[in-house]
Amino acid sequence: MAAPVSTGVTASENMTDSANGPIQSPVDGQKRPQFGTRFLTDPRKVFQHNAWDNVEWSREQEEAAQMKVQENSEPLPPEKQVEFDSRAHEYWNDFYGIHENRFFKDRHWLFTEFPELSPRWKTAWHSKEGACSREEPAQSVPNLAVSSEEAPAAHTEKADFPGVSASYRILEVGCGVGNTVFPILKTNNDPGLFVYCCDFSNTAIDLVKSNPEYDSSRCHAFVRDLSDATAAYPVPEQSLDVIVLIFVLSALHPDKMQSSVSSLARLLKPGGVILLRDYGRYDMAQLRFKKGRCLSENFYVRGDGTRVYFFTQDELHELFSGAGLEKVQNLVDRRLQVNRGKQLTMYRVWVQCKYRKTLTRPQGDAAHN
Ligand SMILES: C[S@@+](CC[C@H](N)C(=O)[O-])C[C@H]1O[C@@H](n2cnc3c(N)ncnc32)[C@H](O)[C@@H]1O
C-alpha cells in the first residue's frame, strides 16, 4: 500500500503526529506496557481502526520505498544548501511565529517510554543487563554519578550555573515551545529536579519563558545552536543526568551531527543518558517529499525552509557510540496510521534510542560489585 502523496510539504504538515503517535515495539526485549495492543493480522481489516502497531514491512514495500527515495535524490545546488544551513534558525523562528505554541501537542507517551524523566528516577547501573532500571526507587539506588561539585566546570563558572544545588538535572535540546519541558515540570515534583531547555529559535524560547508554567526556580530556558559544538552551555561538563532530543537531531546538517552529539555527551554525568526519538528511514514524511527538496542522501528541506533527516538505527548507533556512549535501547517503531474517511494508509517510522555514558567506578567501592 502506498503512502499518500502531498505537494509542498511544510514543517507543520510534515511533522503532524510525528511525535504524538503511541509507540509500540517489543524490540530489544524491552517491556513497553502502554503500547502494542493492536496488530494487523488480516490486511482486509485495515480500515477497521485508525492505527496498527508494530507493522511488518514486506520486502517489496521496502524496495518500493528505496526506489522512491532514489528517484528523488538529486541534491539542490550548493548555494541553496548554504542558505538553508546559515538561515536555519530564521526558518524555525518563522515557523514558531506562525504556529506559536499551537502545533506540537504534549506527549502522553513521554513518561512510559522515558521513565528517566519521572520523579524518583536516578541513574542506576546495577541491573543484570547493565541497562537503566526503571523499577528502582531512588533511595535504594547508589547514585554513582559525580555531583556537580565534583564535576569540572569546563564551560561555565559555578556562580553562573543555574540549578547548581539540584540533585537531578535534565536538559532538553531543541525544546521548541516546551511540549516536553512543561509536562516534566508538572509531573516530576522531585524537589531536587532542575530542567534546562534550549532551542536555537529565540521565538520558541520567548514562548517558553512567557508560558505561565515557566518557573525560573525549577527551569532555565536559553537560546543555543546545537550544531555549534564550540558554544557554551550554562552547565559544567559531567553535570547532567539526562539529555532529551525529540525530533531535533534530524533538523541538523548530517555533517554536524557527530560533533553535536559528542559535545552533548561531555555534559552527561557518568551514568547519565541521552534519550532520543526521531524520524526513521522511509517514514511517510520522507516518501512524500517531491523532487527538488533533497539536500543530500535522506536529508530534505521542507516548503517552509526547515530541514529533516531520516535515520536508520545503525546511523544513530554510530553517532552515539562515536561520542563514547553505550547502548541501552535502540529500536524502530513502525506504525500504520489509517485515514478511514479517505481510505488512505500512512506508514510511519520512528526511531527511539537511549545511550548512556559509561560509569567509571571508583576503586574499592563495594556498592558497585
Ligand atoms: C521538530 S521540532 C521539535 C520540537 C520539540 N522537540 C518537540 O518535539 O516539540 C525541532 C526543533 O528543533 C529546533 N532546532 C532545529 N535545529 C536546531 C539547532 N541546530 N539547535 C537547536 N535547536 C534546533 C527547532 O527550532 C525546533 O524547535
Side-chain angles (χ1 to χ4, degrees):
M1 278 165 276
V5 175
S6 84
T7 53
V9 180
T10 63
S12 52
E13 289 166 337
N14 190 244
M15 289 183 287
T16 301
D17 286 330
S18 63
N20 294 305
I23 304 165
Q24 190 283 330
S25 173
V27 186
D28 279 5
Q30 304 266 334
K31 203 174 164 203
R32 311 173 75 210
Q34 183 174 329
F35 305 113
T37 51
R38 190 165 288 146
F39 303 107
L40 180 62
T41 46
D42 180 353
R44 290 169 303 180
K45 294 186 176 161
V46 65
F47 291 112
Q48 287 188 3
H49 292 287
N50 291 332
W52 301 95
D53 296 311
N54 202 33
V55 179
E56 296 280 336
W57 279 40
S58 66
R59 185 189 295 195
E60 294 74 38
Q61 185 176 9
E62 186 102 16
E63 284 172 359
Q66 220 167 351
M67 202 175 298
K68 194 153 204 313
V69 165
Q70 191 60 37
E71 280 166 11
N72 179 16
S73 56
E74 182 71 32
L76 285 173
E79 61 278 10
K80 288 304 272 177
Q81 305 251 0
V82 170
E83 187 199 322
F84 286 124
D85 198 56
S86 60
R87 297 187 54 210
H89 67 289
E90 296 174 31
Y91 290 115
W92 279 106
N93 273 343
D94 291 348
F95 174 85
Y96 288 114
I98 294 165
H99 297 285
E100 298 197 333
N101 59 4
R102 294 182 295 270
F103 185 70
F104 298 114
K105 306 247 176 347
D106 293 343
R107 291 80 202 247
H108 304 295
W109 48 264
L110 199 59
F111 299 99
T112 32
E113 289 304 308
F114 296 142
E116 295 83 354
L117 305 174
S118 304
R120 291 157 56 90
W121 179 271
K122 293 280 181 209
T123 41
W125 308 108
H126 62 293
S127 71
K128 279 201 188 104
E129 300 75 24
C132 284
S133 161
R134 67 166 63 174
E135 280 83 26
E136 289 295 336
Q139 295 90 319
S140 68
V141 176
N143 186 0
L144 306 176
V146 291
S147 73
S148 58
E149 310 306 322
E150 295 154 356
H155 287 317
T156 184
E157 295 299 320
K158 281 187 183 144
D160 297 331
F161 178 16
V164 68
S165 57
S167 56
Y168 199 66
R169 299 189 189 91
I170 297 173
L171 164 67
E172 190 194 6
V173 182
C175 63
V177 295
N179 295 84
T180 296
V181 167
F182 291 117
I184 295 173
L185 290 172
K186 206 183 281 181
T187 307
N188 190 332
N189 52 12
D190 180 344
L193 172 74
F194 198 88
V195 180
Y196 307 86
C197 59
C198 62
D199 199 288
F200 73 168
S201 161
N202 53 296
T203 309
I205 293 300
D206 286 347
L207 285 163
V208 170
K209 287 182 164 172
S210 62
N211 189 312
E213 290 177 34
Y214 183 75
D215 174 355
S216 58
S217 69
R218 301 182 67 214
C219 181
H220 177 65
F222 55 100
V223 176
R224 174 71 165 75
D225 183 349
L226 170 61
S227 69
D228 179 358
T230 60
Y233 285 85
V235 291
E237 290 190 357
Q238 304 202 55
S239 65
L240 297 176
D241 293 273
V242 178
I243 297 176
V244 183
L245 299 173
I246 298 183
F247 295 94
V248 58
L249 199 59
S250 55
L252 268 56
H253 191 289
D255 288 353
K256 296 182 179 170
M257 288 176 185
Q258 184 64 72
S259 57
S260 304
V261 171
S262 297
S263 71
L264 290 179
R266 285 194 284 277
L267 301 178
L268 282 180
K269 288 176 179 176
V273 281
I274 293 189
L275 310 177
L276 170 139
R277 185 161 167 83
D278 219 321
Y279 294 101
R281 184 70 46 85
Y282 307 142
D283 177 48
M284 175 196 84
Q286 178 175 16
L287 301 185
R288 73 182 194 175
F289 271 109
K290 289 275 189 192
K291 286 204 165 101
R293 310 309 306 177
C294 184
L295 295 167
S296 58
E297 268 182 62
N298 305 299
F299 188 46
Y300 305 83
V301 61
R302 303 183 182 98
D304 61 7
T306 61
R307 299 172 303 170
V308 59
Y309 187 83
F310 296 86
F311 291 104
T312 63
Q313 289 173 277
D314 285 351
E315 286 169 348
L316 285 164
H317 183 74
E318 288 297 309
L319 284 171
F320 288 121
S321 47
L325 304 179
E326 62 184 16
K327 182 174 96 170
V328 176
Q329 181 184 76
N330 180 331
L331 58 86
V332 64
D333 175 15
R334 295 180 196 277
R335 193 171 165 81
L336 173 56
Q337 294 173 342
V338 175
N339 181 329
R340 293 202 266 170
K342 295 184 181 165
Q343 299 272 296
L344 290 176
T345 53
M346 295 164 281
Y347 287 87
R348 305 310 313 255
V349 184
W350 298 293
V351 276
Q352 182 168 301
C353 293
K354 301 183 186 188
Y355 279 74
R356 76 179 165 203
K357 190 170 208 166
T358 321
L359 191 68
T360 316
R361 295 175 171 183
Q363 279 185 350
D365 187 339
H368 307 163
N369 297 329

